[in-house]
Amino acid sequence: MENNLNNKKIELLAPAGDERGLRAAVNAGADAVYFGTKSFNARVGAAQNFDEKTLEKNIKFAKLRNVNVYITVNTLAYNDEIDKVMPLIKNIYDMGADAVIVQDLGIIDIVRNNFNIPMHASTQMSCNNLYSVNLLKKIGIDRVVLAREMSLENIKYIRNNTDIELETFVHGALCVSFSGQCAYSYLHGGRSANRGACAQPCRMEYSGGKTDYPLSTKDLMTIDIIPNLIESGITSFKIEGRAKRSEYSAITAYIYRKVIDFALENKDMPIEKYRESLMKIFNRGGFSQGYYYNSKDIFENYKPSHSGEYIGNITAYKKNKIYIKTKKELNIYDGLSFGESGKIGMQISDLYKDNIRVKRAKGNLSFSSVLKNINIGDKVYRTTDKLQMDEADKIIEKDNFKHILDLNCIIGFDYNNDKRIKLTVKSKYDERLNNIEYISDYKLQKAETKSVSKEDIFNSLSKTGGTVFKFDNINIEEKFENPFIPVKVLNEARRCLIEKLENILMQSKKINYDKKIYNEKNINYPNTHIKVLIVNDEEKSNLYSDIDYDKKILFPKVYDENIIKLFENKKIDGILLPHITFDKDIELIKNIVSKTNNMIVICNNLGHIEAFRDKCILWAGIGLNAINNYSVNFLYKLGIDTVISAVEAGKNLKHTLSVKEGFIPAMNFVFCPKSMSVGCNKCKEQDIIDNKGNSVIFDCLKMHNKTSFILEKIKNKTGSIYYHLY
């Protein structure tokens, strides 16, 4: 196809779970890195993360190498945690981070009223339509990390209708449920995905389908569609993986750096070589292009952990030796796993080819083992490639980045009637560093004996080792005869100039928030001492006559004209909107709402607020994750009439309704994993069973698109909303 990508600037954004991971991402060629602190980030338990001491050091390491730094503060915070969030963000701001990645609406409001650090809306905010993007832009968000479930067509539509920066994932783990819209882990065991503690029930074993892992998706890999993604107008390509090892960051960032550069230069790229390397570093049953082209193969997964690279089968196992035949070259210290489950594994400590000991070979091989439960014919996978690990180590340790500068030194510069030393630098590559100058406090004196030589001056100024600067050309202008200059003065001049250069590189983008974009008047809080019944079939309402409800809300199976009739006949007071709504879905619902007066619409996506404001009575549903007083008040300022608190909110928040009991949408899917596993026509006949022997309840509905979800039981002592969807 014709290539017109040359003028595009694409940011490669790589993960860093620890210091070594950050060095890996930076040295592999990432334009930006993202990482978290010890609290308030979505990988708080899975990655090592950074404490305050290492945080500042590593922000500096990245930024001095022209790599932007985005800090994840992308979880929901309780009221008693807000006092810890504010100083954390202030420290991040003071240390020079370029943005914070956020999910909590309350934290967003705090940042916009107290700091001017840019905010990126996390994928946890479930932004999958233009309305949600537009609302986030209005409240000051600088960049939106779009939901992973976006097709390329969806992205292009948003790109063509907004100028905000857009970020999408190009590699790594996919969540089966919309991020930020999964309460399954919390309801099963009290570990909230929205608070960085997901127990990953989607990676657990289930029975009843064609795979034991029907909720476990393959990982995303997009190296073969990078030109298409560039053409769509995405600003930043993000690699997932803060919880993975540093070698993963090195290899994936290095490959995507190459692929992006090849695409921008319209060059052919060794896709198969890169694919093989990515398979070896981490994959779950292969890769998928995810949702970019609505690839339903994301569910064809038979193993929830690293599958590795298939290399052959066991041909014999005798006298504590495994024999295999492989076309792949194996090495001592490679890691292997056996069988489809991958639960049995080992590291090669000795290697034989045709019974001759070798370090590396392919063909008929054998190696020592004392493993049990393996059999002739079992498949063998390489899960760690020693040579690849060595390659990753080289990337991580190479750190040879330098700012190449020209240095001009004037000995005898006129300054306030004195003669001083003046240093000025120029850069061919970075305008920020052009014409930066330093004038010494030291006043030149004539030497009584030996004056400083030009060679002495050159040697002192050129000692930039240990810094990211290199003076490629040093020009010395002598305007003072026989100067006496102590070596420490020259060294101090060099150090002060370098400090100035570092301070410039540490500067980050600032943003001035418009704080008057919403209703700043006193909020008229609603009456929340009411009972609400939510049903999916209005005709079954009489089954719940024991509930003395004030409002009845329909969560319909189909969003059509029948809703209008039910509302006009006063059989319902409003509708609940699904957590997943693309732009065409919203247009369909707008058409329904426009034909009614004062209908209650429960919003579960930010786009709903923007699309339906002033068209109906807006309630905020559990999908908007109101978990603290700040997020509650912010929703009221945005035009919400009544707020329903987040599932994780626990005790009732002030001025909110909360769920009392029932079955709520706990996982929300674009594609139904049960349909993929047993077939849509067998949905009601065949069950998916969890490890406790319980049937997993799947359901679906129809708007413009079809969407599905898992219903999970919730029961609170307090609350006044009764969900009867099952």
Side-chain angles (χ1 to χ4, degrees), residues 682-701:
K682 293 183 179 179
C683 182
K684 303 301 180 186
E685 303 169 18
Q686 191 168 340
D687 286 340
I688 301 293
I689 310 296
D690 68 16
N691 57 7
K692 296 178 181 178
N694 300 315
S695 294
V696 182
I697 305 165
F698 289 82
D699 206 348
C700 59
L701 58 83

Side-chain angles (χ1 to χ4, degrees), residues 270-284:
I271 290 291
E272 289 308 314
K273 173 186 171 184
Y274 291 155
R275 189 194 310 275
E276 182 177 337
S277 187
L278 292 169
M279 286 282 287
K280 285 192 287 188
I281 198 66
F282 194 91
N283 80 90
R284 287 185 176 95

Side-chain angles (χ1 to χ4, degrees), residues 518-526 633-634 636-640 655:
Y518 50 71
N519 178 22
E520 290 284 5
K521 297 177 183 177
N522 291 333
I523 298 168
N524 294 317
Y525 292 110
N633 285 337
F634 196 32
Y636 282 124
K637 291 173 184 177
L638 289 173
I640 291 293
H655 313 302

Side-chain angles (χ1 to χ4, degrees), residues 18-190:
D18 56 23
E19 266 190 90
R20 196 165 188 267
L22 181 131
R23 293 178 68 90
V26 171
N27 293 339
D31 300 298
V33 290
Y34 67 104
F35 51 90
T37 65
K38 295 290 186 181
S39 56
F40 305 110
N41 87 81
R43 292 292 182 271
V44 72
Q48 183 175 327
N49 297 305
F50 295 79
D51 57 29
E52 198 164 318
K53 290 180 182 177
T54 57
L55 184 65
E56 185 168 18
K57 171 186 167 186
N58 285 282
I59 289 174
K60 186 173 183 179
F61 178 87
K63 288 183 66 66
L64 292 185
R65 289 158 180 79
N66 287 349
V67 174
N68 285 341
V69 174
Y70 310 137
I71 307 297
T72 56
V73 189
N74 59 340
T75 57
L76 304 181
Y78 289 129
N79 278 324
D80 60 1
E81 296 172 325
I82 292 295
D83 287 343
K84 298 174 185 176
V85 176
M86 289 188 68
L88 170 63
I89 293 176
K90 183 181 186 306
N91 288 342
I92 291 168
Y93 171 74
D94 291 341
M95 289 175 188
D98 296 281
V100 287
I101 304 172
V102 290
Q103 175 192 7
D104 191 314
L105 285 168
I107 291 175
I108 288 174
D109 204 27
I110 289 169
V111 172
R112 64 192 310 282
N113 283 295
N114 293 278
F115 308 104
N116 63 355
I117 185 171
M119 288 184 285
H120 295 177
S122 169
T123 193
Q124 290 285 120
M125 297 196 79
S126 314
C127 297
N128 72 312
N129 52 65
L130 179 62
Y131 290 100
S132 60
V133 172
N134 284 343
L135 178 57
L136 287 167
K137 183 182 177 183
K138 283 182 182 178
I139 63 176
I141 293 294
D142 197 55
R143 175 186 294 184
V144 173
V145 187
L146 293 171
R148 289 179 175 93
E149 295 75 10
M150 299 288 283
S151 72
L152 209 53
E153 181 184 355
N154 299 146
I155 293 169
K156 286 179 179 178
Y157 174 75
I158 290 174
R159 174 74 293 158
N160 291 337
N161 290 281
T162 182
D163 59 357
I164 197 171
E165 292 184 0
L166 300 176
E167 178 179 306
T168 64
F169 286 89
V170 294
H171 194 89
L174 291 166
C175 289
V176 64
S177 173
F178 258 66
S179 298
Q181 301 302 322
C182 182
Y184 204 48
S185 174
Y186 178 77
L187 294 175
H188 266 254

